RNA sequence: AGGCGCUUAGCUCAGCUGGUUAGAGCACCACCUUGACAUGGUGGGGGUCGGAGGUUCGAGUCCUCUAGCGCCUACCA
């Protein structure tokens, strides 16, 4: 084996071997293990399908690490495990990408026509989709590629058609002219969720609308309205005041003359109006504002649409404004009103501006014909499923978010005026009457329409989420009752981010319950967002994104700068991004390999918190990989060519250390099971790291060194056996988190531990065995560690060279101390680098020494010629100070008159501690006296 | 406006149903090329847990108030 672990040299090899072996495919796994799948419990995860034209970012890598750990864990536990991969067609996003590419060649989508355009999108999908699947493969994710799906493949398309037709049959789909959020650039409706409202600086314009039948001269001849969108006044059909507003009450029922339009509109009363805001008079534009629309409905107001789909003024408006862009019209209208003397004032005003989440363009409420899903009933079932415990959120507080949205749900506009997506299976006849069905022939048959009736299919497509909502079962073959569907629905867990609880989680829950009568997943594990080291959200425009593969492979500073500053939407940011990058990664990024990156994600995955990605942490875990690698080298070196109890035929005995590490291992195994069950991957990672590094490597390997040198062949064999078997088990424990390293090493270690098989992936996950827990051995080794630490501390603080073998005196040793000294003598000598301890009677006069306390006894390292008095005094003073402070606290506790209320056990413990502290203190003080007297 | 979350060593974070002297990694200081590993070893320094009050024999851990930060929802023209 090489001296250092080199991830590059093994990763590609194992990726290929695992996939080629079929180890990701449930059927093959069952076959190789000789198990009948029907007898295995089922476990399944559907990958949240990434956008097919994107690339995977840190958030994906993080979530995939979690999903793969769960998948490998359950596979090893003997579950019939499926992790199903796939990608999403991402209607709007993908269409925009391709349109942008075409635009670069000066081509418009409409120039090509629907057919040709879609061909181009499919081409791009084929090209780009490979990037994602390669990334997934490289990270070692054990997804079943034989079941890969795409949200727009034939199977998923059939499911979407079925969904729409059945919902329609169930009376949950309707088509209607409604006010929707309209993106004037994309020329499509979008759902509420696709609108991002942010506070922006704007103005509040105050306009005077003259009252009919009054003169302006008396100062009461007009009503002043306040608006943030002056251009909408062209579509005003009323002016509203609060019914109890004394300023205006007498005007209710009168009419005002709408300036510029020469229309008379009524003054109405509605308690929606806020008297405090603006002038207390609101202009009402039912066609271009959601509230106004609702008010228009309440008061039967006419609805005048004044915009074209791309937000220019249409022919409903007076001639001078027609054809103007909305913002040009705004300017013009304000000017014209000003010249008429109808502008009362203009004040600065902060307002929430709604923008399309894809285009960033201000969205207009716009009246169009669209398809909607009636959500009320669906939402109620989804709420109930969580209340009844059929579906559980981890962490649990995300239920609030889920509930809140479902309780206030609005009908879902599912049609998009886009080409790229599932086309709506609805047909229209010449009169515009619509028919819904799985196909045109079905529609004709069902509605008895002869071929003479011309039918045209709806031009629109579905909201991407309308198909994503089916993902947990469309992937398994629904609406067919496939074996896969029966086997793996409901899925076991959904791993995703909180940002799509509404978009996706809730909608999957609703559709799953509606169509399959069961929740789509038993548990929803919500991960935090991966942020950069400074806590900022990673985004291309900020130039702070990290490509997971750049951490895996490493990247030079120059390449990283180039990558972050090229292809920016705002090139002027380049200099700033470059500076920040050079500051943050002055040396570029060192390669850490897949295992270290995956382990880092797991270690950072604490609950309910975003994670700041810390590259130095990843470097630390790369070191951990190397540590394991070298521990393996040590083990191999020491057992090579020697029997390690593979066939159990030769006698072996286990030392205290052997029994100790095996006992510790059982406890770690139990912890691992618990942490997996609770999704506490941070604690899992910590627990494994701690065991392997701080117990197995730091102590057990060191303890094994003298043991391997004894004359006792059976004891040697026992140590070799333990060395190998604990390592082999640790590898299996760690495998779901570090697949590559553990596989590579396991191949070499397994035969020595009498294990065989093509891959560690197919081995059982270690389970704790209660009968191998050995408390006496643990106590013995704790004692031993205390002794060694005591001597090391003296050595360290006295600056005695590590190699020097010291004499050691022990005073006040109890009977059990004496037994331990005798039994653990070789370990004591080797690890503490001392001569065999010399026992002193309690009353004996000791030579001048540096001392340490261990239980009731005192360790003494004679100082003759070794130690400087001041250093030892300083060391003692520190210890005394600490002890005094601790003792003080204990005394206060015990002396509290009410301490008697505490449980007996707690009281006893406190008194024992008090006694020990007092003893230690007096021993230390006596020692101080002696040293001072020198 | 409503909801959720965060504030613990220089940095990034653990600390479960309240119980011994608050932990880890990284960073820092000193010593060490000891045959698994310098991507290492050994020893060490460093926090009183945002602030105030309360409950309790006992609070980082529960309650109230308060300060700061972040996120999500929401129809104020």
């Amino acid at each position: 084996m090489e001296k250092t672990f080199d991830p590059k040299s093994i990763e590609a090899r194992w990726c290929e071997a695992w996939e080629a072996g079929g180890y990701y495919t449930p059927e093959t796994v069952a076959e190789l293990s000789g198990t009948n799948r029907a007898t295995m419990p089922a476990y399944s995860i559907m990958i949240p399908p990434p956008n097919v034209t994107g690339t995977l970012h840190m958030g994906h890598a993080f979530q995939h690490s979690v999903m793969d750990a769960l998948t490998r864990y359950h596979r090893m536990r003997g579950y019939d495990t499926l992790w199903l991969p796939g990608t999403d067609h991402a209607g709007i996003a993908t269409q925009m990408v391709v349109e942008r590419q075409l635009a670069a060649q000066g081509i418009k989508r409409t120039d090509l026509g629907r057919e040709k355009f879609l061909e181009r999108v499919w081409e791009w999908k084929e090209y780009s989709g490979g990037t994602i699947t390669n990334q997934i493969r490289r990270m070692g994710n054990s997804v079943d590629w034989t079941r890969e799906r795409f949200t727009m493949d034939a199977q998923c398309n059939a499911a979407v058609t079925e969904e729409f037709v059945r919902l329609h049959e169930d009376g949950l789909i309707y088509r209607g002219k409604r006010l929707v959020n309209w993106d004037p650039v994309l020329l499509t409706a979008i759902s509420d969720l696709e609108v991002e409202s942010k506070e922006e600086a704007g103005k509040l314009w105050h306009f005077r609308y003259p009252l009919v039948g009054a003169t302006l001269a008396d100062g009461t001849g007009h009503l002043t309205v306040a608006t943030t969108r002056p251009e909408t006044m062209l579509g005003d059909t009323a002016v509203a005041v609060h019914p109890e507003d004394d300023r205006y009450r007498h005007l209710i029922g009168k009419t005002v003359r709408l300036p510029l339009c020469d229309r008379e509109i009524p003054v109405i009363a509605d308690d929606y109006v806020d008297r405090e805001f603006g002038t207390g008079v609101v202009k009402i534009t039912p066609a271009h504002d959601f509230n106004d629309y609702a008010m228009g409905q309440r008061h039967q107001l006419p609805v005048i649409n004044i915009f074209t789909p791309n937000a220019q003024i249409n022919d409903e408006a007076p001639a001078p404004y027609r054809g103007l862009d909305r913002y040009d019209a705004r300017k013009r209208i304000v000017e014209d009103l000003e010249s008429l003397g109808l502008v009362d004032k203009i004040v600065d005003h902060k307002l929430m501006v709604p923008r399309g989440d894809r285009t960033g363009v201000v969205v207009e409420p716009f009246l169009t014909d669209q398809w909607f899903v009636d959500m009320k009933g669906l939402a109620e079932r989804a709420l109930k499923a969580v209340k009844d415990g059929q579906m559980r959120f981890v962490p649990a507080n995300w239920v609030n978010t889920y509930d809140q949205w479902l309780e206030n749900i609005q009908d879902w506009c599912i049609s998009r005026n886009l080409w790229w997506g599932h086309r709506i299976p609805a047909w229209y006849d010449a009169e515009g009457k619509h028919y819904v069905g799985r196909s045109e022939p079905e529609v004709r048959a069902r509605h008895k329409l002869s071929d003479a009736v011309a039918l045209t299919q709806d031009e629109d497509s579905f909201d991407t989420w309308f198909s994503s909502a089916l993902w947990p079962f469309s992937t398994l073959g629904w609406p067919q009752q496939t074996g896969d569907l029966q086997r793996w629905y409901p899925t076991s867990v959904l791993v995703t981010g909180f940002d799509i609880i509404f978009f996706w989680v809730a909608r999957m829950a609703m559709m799953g319950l509606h169509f399959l009568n069961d929740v789509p997943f038993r548990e929803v594990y919500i991960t935090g967002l991966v942020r950069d080291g400074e806590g900022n959200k990673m985004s291309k425009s900020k130039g702070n994104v990290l490509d997971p593969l750049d951490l895996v492979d490493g990247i030079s500073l120059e390449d990283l700068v180039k990558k972050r500053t090229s292809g920016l939407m705002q090139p002027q940011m380049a200099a700033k991004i470059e500076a920040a990058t050079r500051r943050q990664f002055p040396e570029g990024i060192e390669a850490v390999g897949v295992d270290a990156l995956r382990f880092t994600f797991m270690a950072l995955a604490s609950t309910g918190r975003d994670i700041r990605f810390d590259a130095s942490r990843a470097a630390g875990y790369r070191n951990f990989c190397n540590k394991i690698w070298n521990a393996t080298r040590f083990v191999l070196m020491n057992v090579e060519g020697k029997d390690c109890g593979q066939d159990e035929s030769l006698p072996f005995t286990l030392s205290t250390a052997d029994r100790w590490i095996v006992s510790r291992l059982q406890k770690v195994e139990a912890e691992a099971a618990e942490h997996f069950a609770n999704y506490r991957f941070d604690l899992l990672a910590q627990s494994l790291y701690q065991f392997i590094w701080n117990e197995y490597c730091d102590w057990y390997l060191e303890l094994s060194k003298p043991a391997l040198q004894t004359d006792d062949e059976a004891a040697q064999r026992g140590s070799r056996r333990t060395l190998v078997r604990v390592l082999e088990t640790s590898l299996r424990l760690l495998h779901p988190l570090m697949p590559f390293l553990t596989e590579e090493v396991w191949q070499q270690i397994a035969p020595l531990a009498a294990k065989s098989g093509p891959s560690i992936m197919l081995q059982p996950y270690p389970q704790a065995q209660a009968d191998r827990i050995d408390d006496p051995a643990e106590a013995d080794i704790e004692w031993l560690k205390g002794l060694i630490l005591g001597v090391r501390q003296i050595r360290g603080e006295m600056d005695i060279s590590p190699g020097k073998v010291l004499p050691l005196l022990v005073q006040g040793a109890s009977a059990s101390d004496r037994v331990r000294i005798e039994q653990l003598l070789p370990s004591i000598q080797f690890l503490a680098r001392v001569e065999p301890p010399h026992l002193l009677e309690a009353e004996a006069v000791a030579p001048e020494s540096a001392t340490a306390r261990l239980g009731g006894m005192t360790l003494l390292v004679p100082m003759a010629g070794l130690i400087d008095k001041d250093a030892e005094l300083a060391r003692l003073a520190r210890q005394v100070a600490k002890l005094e402070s601790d003792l003080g606290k204990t005394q206060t506790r015990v002396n509290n008159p009410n301490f008697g209320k505490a449980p007996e056990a707690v009281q006893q413990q406190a008194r024992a501690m008090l006694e020990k502290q007092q003893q230690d203190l007096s021993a230390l003080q006596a020692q101080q006296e002696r040293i001072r007297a020198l």
Side-chain angles (χ1 to χ4, degrees):
Chain A
M1 282 173 85
E2 294 298 317
K3 204 173 166 187
T4 46
F5 172 54
D6 175 24
K8 262 190 196 112
S9 65
I10 65 164
E11 288 171 1
R13 198 169 76 236
W14 284 115
C15 276
E16 278 167 36
W18 290 330
E19 204 181 323
Y23 308 154
Y24 298 170
T25 304
E27 287 85 349
T28 314
V29 170
E31 201 184 308
L32 287 169
S33 65
T35 319
N36 177 1
R37 285 179 61 220
T39 66
M40 301 162 80
Y43 189 87
S44 58
I45 297 179
M46 301 297 152
I47 204 168
N51 176 351
V52 69
T53 67
T55 53
L56 298 187
H57 55 244
M58 294 291 278
H60 290 115
F62 168 38
Q63 292 179 349
H64 294 172
S65 300
V66 169
M67 284 182 261
D68 195 47
L70 288 167
T71 299
R72 286 178 185 267
Y73 172 67
H74 285 91
R75 191 184 287 120
M76 290 173 81
R77 291 281 310 271
Y79 285 75
D80 189 24
T81 305
L82 170 67
W83 183 14
L84 187 146
T87 45
D88 193 292
H89 67 280
I92 293 180
T94 305
Q95 176 159 333
M96 278 177 67
V97 168
V98 176
E99 281 190 79
R100 210 176 299 139
Q101 289 171 354
L102 290 172
Q105 307 165 40
I107 307 172
K108 277 198 288 223
R109 159 167 71 110
T110 42
D111 298 340
L112 289 176
R114 188 172 188 133
E115 295 273 308
K116 281 263 179 298
F117 177 75
L118 288 180
E119 273 174 34
R120 297 295 274 268
V121 184
W122 278 105
E123 279 171 28
W124 168 241
K125 181 258 167 193
E126 292 306 329
Y127 168 79
S128 172
T131 311
I132 291 180
T133 52
N134 279 335
Q135 282 177 300
I136 293 177
R137 283 188 163 89
R138 277 221 51 195
M139 296 299 289
N141 293 311
S142 59
V143 295
D144 183 3
W145 292 106
T146 68
R147 286 179 165 87
E148 184 184 0
R149 300 247 66 88
F150 174 52
T151 54
M152 237 169 68
D153 62 24
Q155 179 178 312
C156 289
N157 182 250
V160 170
T161 301
E162 192 68 20
E163 171 190 27
F164 181 71
V165 173
R166 283 206 206 166
L167 286 173
H168 186 260
E169 287 168 357
D170 297 336
L172 295 175
I173 294 241
Y174 63 92
R175 181 175 168 80
K177 211 179 209 32
R178 293 290 146 91
L179 209 50
V180 296
N181 298 296
W182 185 264
D183 187 315
V185 166
L186 283 172
L187 301 177
T188 180
I190 55 180
S191 73
D192 303 346
L193 290 177
E194 292 159 282
V195 177
E196 285 178 350
S197 291
K198 270 208 225 89
E199 190 172 83
E200 295 181 17
K203 295 203 186 317
L204 195 55
W205 284 269
H206 291 65
F207 297 148
R208 298 190 185 108
Y209 285 8
L211 275 160
V212 174
T215 53
L216 281 172
D218 63 3
T220 60
H222 58 255
L223 276 175
T224 304
V225 299
T227 181
T228 54
R229 293 190 299 154
E231 65 281 8
T232 62
M233 63 91 59
L234 300 174
D236 284 0
T237 56
V239 164
V241 299
H242 194 276
E244 278 142 42
D245 191 333
D246 291 337
R247 292 172 295 177
Y248 305 116
R249 209 204 295 248
H250 61 289
L251 297 174
I252 296 165
K254 300 242 165 33
T255 51
V256 295
R257 177 158 295 277
L258 184 62
L260 310 178
C261 295
D262 215 30
R263 274 204 315 269
E264 290 188 6
I265 55 176
V267 178
I268 61 171
D270 196 298
D271 51 19
Y272 157 75
V273 178
D274 177 355
R275 278 172 279 187
E276 311 298 317
F277 189 88
T279 58
V281 187
V282 192
K283 56 186 273 313
I284 303 300
T285 322
H288 299 293
D289 182 280
F290 289 97
N291 292 310
D292 292 6
Y293 184 78
M295 202 184 294
Q297 302 253 291
R298 288 197 289 274
H299 299 270
Q300 286 90 47
L301 297 175
V303 176
I304 303 174
N305 172 24
I306 57 147
F307 285 136
T308 63
N310 55 1
Q312 290 171 349
I313 305 299
N314 70 12
D315 293 352
E316 293 291 331
Y321 309 105
R322 289 177 195 166
L324 290 181
D325 172 81
R326 51 185 163 170
Y327 297 115
D328 296 333
R330 172 179 296 182
K331 215 172 136 204
R332 184 77 176 273
I333 286 165
V334 173
E335 282 166 9
D336 291 352
L337 287 171
E338 249 163 0
S339 62
L340 290 171
L342 294 176
V343 176
D344 182 64
K345 59 176 172 180
I346 303 171
V347 297
D348 288 333
H349 179 66
K350 286 215 162 58
L351 72 160
M352 298 297 280
V353 179
R355 293 179 180 273
D357 63 356
R358 293 291 165 186
T359 56
V361 166
V362 176
V363 164
E364 287 292 339
F366 194 60
L367 205 55
T368 53
D369 275 309
Q370 303 290 343
W371 293 95
F372 294 88
V373 182
D374 177 358
M375 301 298 276
K376 260 247 136 26
L378 294 169
E380 274 164 20
R381 268 190 91 178
L383 278 165
K384 190 169 181 298
V386 171
K387 287 209 171 65
D388 294 350
Q390 295 177 57
M391 198 172 116
R392 181 171 81 101
F393 279 88
V394 180
N397 53 293
W398 289 108
V399 175
N400 297 324
T401 307
Y402 175 86
D403 284 356
Q404 192 201 359
W405 187 67
L406 286 171
E407 280 160 7
N408 299 299
I409 199 151
Q410 303 291 312
D411 283 356
W412 180 11
C413 174
I414 51 170
S415 41
R416 295 290 177 275
N417 311 66
L418 295 176
W419 286 348
W420 176 242
H422 294 276
R423 193 156 170 189
I424 298 175
W427 284 261
Y428 302 87
D429 62 18
E431 283 84 50
K433 189 162 183 267
H434 67 254
Y435 307 92
V436 168
R438 290 169 184 80
S439 64
E440 189 177 329
E442 184 188 291
V443 164
R444 286 185 187 279
R446 188 184 291 188
H447 297 278
K448 305 198 171 54
L449 300 171
S450 76
D451 290 350
V453 180
L455 288 179
T456 52
Q457 188 175 355
D458 197 312
E459 292 290 323
D460 291 348
S461 60
F462 287 123
D463 178 5
T464 304
W465 299 102
F466 190 66
S467 59
S468 312
L470 310 180
W471 189 246
F473 45 98
S474 63
T475 48
L476 295 173
W478 184 86
Q480 310 295 319
Q481 280 305 311
T482 61
D484 279 6
L485 188 64
Q486 279 159 16
R487 173 94 277 219
W488 286 300
Y489 190 90
T491 63
S492 307
V493 61
L494 174 75
V495 178
T496 193
F498 60 82
D499 47 331
I500 52 179
I501 289 180
F502 306 144
F503 278 106
W504 198 41
V505 181
R507 285 163 175 172
M508 283 191 285
M510 291 188 272
M511 293 307 166
L513 285 161
H514 185 74
F515 291 112
L516 288 119
N517 237 335
D518 202 347
V519 291
F521 16 76
R522 295 283 172 224
E523 300 191 310
V524 182
Y525 173 65
I526 300 289
T527 65
L529 237 55
V530 181
R531 297 172 176 276
D532 73 4
E534 272 131 32
N536 297 308
K537 211 162 162 174
M538 288 192 185
S539 75
K540 258 172 239 154
S541 57
K542 277 191 214 138
N544 60 351
V545 286
L546 287 173
D547 182 337
L549 291 181
D550 287 342
L551 281 140
V552 169
D553 298 329
I555 185 170
S556 71
L557 176 60
E558 297 314 316
D559 288 346
L560 184 61
V561 166
K562 208 178 295 165
K563 209 164 163 172
R564 285 182 162 187
T565 53
S566 60
L568 287 173
M569 298 281 235
Q570 297 166 284
Q572 69 274 20
M573 292 292 289
K576 214 174 150 187
I577 290 171
E578 177 168 353
T581 303
R582 288 184 187 280
R583 175 164 40 79
Q584 232 191 326
F585 301 100
E587 315 288 328
I589 298 174
E590 244 186 302
V592 300
V594 172
D595 289 320
L597 178 62
R598 288 182 49 155
F599 197 87
T600 307
F601 284 129
M602 299 304 270
L604 291 172
S606 59
T607 55
R609 188 192 261 259
D610 286 350
I611 63 180
R612 292 193 186 198
F613 191 83
D614 183 358
S616 71
R617 192 94 180 232
Y621 293 126
R622 178 209 48 199
N623 297 353
F624 179 46
C625 292
N626 193 52
K627 189 78 182 174
I628 296 169
W629 183 260
N630 278 291
T632 306
R633 287 179 61 217
F634 171 82
V635 171
L636 289 174
M637 227 172 259
N638 282 284
V639 303
E640 222 159 34
K642 297 183 183 124
D643 180 77
C644 2
Q646 290 97 318
D647 58 7
E648 317 267 343
S649 60
L650 298 166
F652 65 87
T653 54
L654 296 180
S655 69
T656 309
D658 294 333
R659 284 180 285 116
W660 165 73
I661 196 71
V662 168
S663 180
R664 289 294 312 136
L665 179 63
Q666 306 312 310
K667 294 187 178 171
V668 172
E669 288 168 353
E671 283 169 28
E674 190 188 330
H675 294 143
F676 264 116
N678 297 332
Y679 298 92
R680 286 305 303 265
F681 303 109
D682 56 333
L683 301 181
L684 172 66
Q686 196 189 8
S687 168
L688 297 178
Y689 180 96
Q690 202 272 124
F691 174 74
I692 292 173
W693 196 315
N694 303 121
E695 300 197 277
Y696 185 76
C697 293
D698 285 352
W699 286 102
Y700 183 68
L701 290 190
E702 294 305 319
L703 288 165
S704 77
K705 285 174 184 174
L708 292 167
Q709 307 303 322
T710 59
D711 312 328
D712 182 344
E713 180 55 33
Q716 272 196 35
R717 196 173 293 116
S719 287
R720 287 197 296 265
R721 178 190 156 91
T722 309
L723 223 34
V724 162
R725 293 190 180 209
V726 172
L727 176 58
E728 191 275 336
T729 310
S730 302
L731 294 171
R732 282 184 285 129
L733 273 172
L734 195 57
H735 179 255
L737 284 69
M738 285 194 168
F740 294 103
L741 169 65
T742 52
E743 177 75 285
E744 179 73 16
V745 169
W746 187 82
Q747 294 292 332
Q748 304 203 47
I749 293 294
L752 302 171
K755 301 266 175 179
S756 64
S759 166
I760 189 175
M761 300 182 44
L762 304 174
Q763 294 294 312
Y765 199 75
Q767 303 290 302
Q769 290 169 260
D771 61 339
R772 303 184 79 179
I773 288 177
D774 190 332
D775 291 328
E778 292 202 34
D780 286 346
I781 299 297
E782 277 315 302
W783 177 91
L784 175 66
K785 283 161 75 171
L787 186 146
I788 293 163
L789 256 21
V791 176
R792 277 181 186 167
Q793 195 187 37
I794 290 170
R795 192 189 289 275
E797 304 233 334
M798 292 292 100
D799 231 356
I800 302 167
S801 109
K804 183 164 178 61
V805 177
L806 301 171
L808 177 64
L809 306 178
V810 175
Q811 189 161 36
S814 67
S816 75
D817 288 333
R818 288 166 199 244
V819 171
R820 279 167 167 163
I821 289 172
E822 197 185 321
Q823 284 183 342
L824 299 169
L825 187 60
S827 302
I828 294 172
Q829 283 187 263
F830 181 77
L831 286 174
R833 292 238 159 201
V834 289
E835 289 163 9
H838 183 71
L839 295 173
L840 280 185
E841 291 311 316
E843 304 310 320
V845 178
E848 301 83 45
S849 307
T851 61
R853 291 282 292 173
L854 177 65
M857 67 181 184
T858 305
L859 308 174
L860 302 97
V861 175
M863 292 169 46
L866 285 175
I867 301 171
D868 83 278
K869 186 178 157 186
D870 293 340
E872 178 62 2
L873 279 175
R875 194 176 75 90
L876 285 169
R878 267 207 310 276
Q879 290 184 351
V880 166
K882 175 90 166 76
L883 247 181
E884 277 174 339
S885 135
D886 292 347
L887 181 62
K889 284 178 202 164
T890 317
Q891 275 169 336
T892 340
R893 255 183 93 200
V894 173
N895 295 341
N896 185 323
N898 287 321
F899 189 55
K901 291 185 188 172
E904 188 54 37
V906 172
Q907 291 188 48
Q908 266 179 19
Q909 203 179 22
R911 294 210 179 85
M913 182 160 70
L914 183 65
E915 199 183 333
K916 180 175 186 308
Q917 286 172 336
Q918 281 166 338
Q919 279 177 7
D920 284 354
L921 186 61
S922 53
L924 281 173
Q925 283 166 337
Q927 178 66 6
Q928 276 182 312
E929 293 303 309
R930 256 175 269 142
I931 301 288
R932 260 192 219 111
L934 285 179

